[in-house]
């Protein structure tokens, strides 16, 4: 009984990681063809591709674990990504929020990449070998995402009055969604905060100490934005079940 | 038409793999790239197993590469093959062969310079221009035309070029 509980928890954790990467990756992919400069358009597209690739690895692993739990279960990575509805998604609210302007997208990427960096480092000690392999692989990519987004937070924050002002609004807007990132793993909060403070200091921002923190993503209680995202992302499989090309 | 063969030696299998090219960088074989991790017989049977590893998690070339491997073996008359993916240890540019690096340069892509992850110091890196060999180059964007490349420009010959990131 205990073993089956552990497996269930394991599946939920892997699905949570998969959902985070997929939804964040999908959001960033919305910038494809719309970036402010070609190089930055390519950068975001590359990051989106890394995240969607990570999501695939997690979904494949989750499908394997689901089959271990019940050998009649033959769900695939595609079923998990394309055929679940919003309440079944367990991603953080932060990743489903609309991109808004460039600064807001950068800040969201920065908060999320820093969380991924420290969380995946902690996964390296997992007993699940496949999870360790995915984390190890992803960390190499995430190191680039953290660096690229940090540089942009600093460039915009310490830039012109207008870029600073837009970034400041993004900080106010997104900060209340950061509490959820470390709510279940308080030991990561300090590392995450230190990295954010280090970059914020250079970018001339301060952290919002007393903000109200939204939560619910991990319980499947989402903002209204997720449904619209899924409607677009899942359209093809919903309209033409089993379609391939 | 060639008759279907069942048996293949490991050495023959490697030489078949030498003919499978990376779809994005057609001068490089997947062996040069270092993404073939093992070639073995599956559980003592006649079925050959090729173990490959992705360069980046989201590398869209992986599916094409798997298919090309299968096609190449089939062209040579071998049908009993299995392709599996392995993530750990994660792929690194250290596994790229010297011959592969030379081919990259001739193709106009600067090969990886260091042995460690570039993410810490990409901006301070001296990457020689693959066209004129000048070291007077600068980073344009750390993300390039594919996930594995960064974009540089030469300040001598002014040519922009791709750099294969250390990873």
């Amino acid at each position: 009984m205990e073993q089956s509980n552990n497996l269930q928890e394991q599946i939920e954790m892997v699905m949570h990681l998969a959902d985070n990467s997929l939804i964040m990756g999908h959001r960033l992919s919305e910038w494809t063809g719309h970036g402010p400069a070609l190089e930055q358009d390519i950068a975001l597209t590359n990051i989106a591709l890394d995240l969607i690739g990570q999501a695939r690895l997690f979904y494949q692993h989750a499908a394997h674990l689901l089959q271990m739990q019940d050998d009649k279960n033959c769900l695939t990575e595609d079923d998990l990504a394309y055929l679940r509805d919003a309440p079944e998604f367990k991603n953080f609210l932060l990743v489903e929020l609309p991109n808004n302007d460039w600064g807001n997208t950068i800040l969201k990427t920065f908060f999320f990449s820093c969380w991924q960096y420290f969380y995946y480092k902690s996964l390296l000690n997992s007993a699940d070998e496949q999870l360790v392999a995915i984390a190890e692989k992803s960390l190499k990519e995430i190191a680039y995402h953290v660096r690229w987004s940090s540089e942009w937070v600093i460039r915009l924050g310490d830039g012109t009055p207008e870029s600073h002002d837009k970034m400041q609004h993004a900080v106010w807007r997104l900060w209340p969604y950061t509490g959820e990132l470390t709510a279940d793993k308080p030991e990561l909060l300090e590392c995450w905060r230190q990295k954010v403070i280090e970059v914020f200091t250079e970018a001339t921002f301060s952290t919002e100490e007393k903000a109200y923190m939204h939560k619910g993503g991990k319980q499947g209680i989402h903002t209204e934005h997720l449904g619209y995202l899924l409607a677009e992302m899942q359209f093809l499989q919903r309209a033409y079940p089993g379609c391939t090309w | 038409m060639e008759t279907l063969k069942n048996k293949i030696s490991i050495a023959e299998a490697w030489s078949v793999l030498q003919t499978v090219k990376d779809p994005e960088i057609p001068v490089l074989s997947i062996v040069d790239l270092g993404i073939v991790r093992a070639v073995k017989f599956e559980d003592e049977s006649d079925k050959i197993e090729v173990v490959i590893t992705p360069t980046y998690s989201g590398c869209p070339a992986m599916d094409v590469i798997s298919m090309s491997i299968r096609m190449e073996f089939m062209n040579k008359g071998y049908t009993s093959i299995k392709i599996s993916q392995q993530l750990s240890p994660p792929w690194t540019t250290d596994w790229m062969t010297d011959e592969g690096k030379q081919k990259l340069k001739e193709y106009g892509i600067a090969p990886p310079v260091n042995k460690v992850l570039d993410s810490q110091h990409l901006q301070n890196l001296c990457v020689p221009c693959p066209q004129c060999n000048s070291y007077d180059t600068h980073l344009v964007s750390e993300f390039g035309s594919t996930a594995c490349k960064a974009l540089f420009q030469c300040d001598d010959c002014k040519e922009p070029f791709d750099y294969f990131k250390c990873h």
Side-chain angles (χ1 to χ4, degrees), chain A residues 39-40 42-44 46-47 49-50 52-54 56-57 60 117 129-130 132-134 136-141 143-145 147-148 151 155, chain B residues 54-58 60 63 85 87-92 117-123 140-148 151 165-167:
Chain A
E39 288 78 15
Q40 303 316 324
I42 291 172
L44 270 191
N46 266 269
I47 295 174
L49 184 64
D50 285 343
I52 293 167
Q54 292 163 18
R56 281 193 66 185
L57 296 174
Q60 286 162 4
Y117 185 79
E129 282 177 22
Q130 183 63 8
V132 174
I134 300 172
E136 205 181 353
K137 177 94 207 146
S138 307
L139 272 167
K140 287 186 157 196
E141 296 155 4
Y144 275 100
H145 307 170
R147 218 177 69 115
W148 178 84
E151 281 172 3
R155 187 173 298 133
Chain B
T55 52
Y56 279 70
S57 313
D63 292 336
Q85 267 199 39
L87 292 177
S88 181
W91 179 83
T92 146
L117 193 61
D118 272 343
S119 63
Q120 309 300 327
H121 57 272
L122 201 60
Q123 255 155 359
V140 177
S141 167
E142 58 189 283
F143 294 94
S145 59
T146 65
C148 50
L151 192 61
K165 288 191 266 200
C166 282
H167 185 71

Side-chain angles (χ1 to χ4, degrees), chain B residues 101-102 104-114 118 122-139 150-166:
Chain B
K101 288 179 186 167
Q102 190 54 37
L104 259 189
K105 184 170 182 288
E106 285 161 15
Y107 189 60
I109 299 172
V113 171
N114 278 317
D118 272 343
L122 201 60
Q123 255 155 359
N124 309 321
L125 207 62
C126 286
V127 178
C129 169
Q131 310 292 343
C132 72
N133 296 316
S134 164
Y135 275 87
D136 192 9
T137 62
H138 71 272
L139 173 72
L151 192 61
F152 275 73
Q153 188 179 13
C154 176
D155 294 324
D156 273 336
C157 74
K158 310 293 180 203
E159 280 289 314
F161 63 91
D162 269 334
Y163 164 66
F164 207 107
K165 288 191 266 200
C166 282

Side-chain angles (χ1 to χ4, degrees), chain A residues 17-18 29-30 38 174:
Chain A
L17 295 172
S29 77
E30 292 171 2
L38 184 60
L174 295 176

Side-chain angles (χ1 to χ4, degrees), chain A residues 19-35:
Chain A
D19 291 346
N20 274 334
S21 296
L22 180 67
I23 303 300
M24 185 72 191
H26 184 84
R27 270 286 184 241
L28 293 184
S29 77
E30 292 171 2
W31 273 99
T32 308
H34 301 278

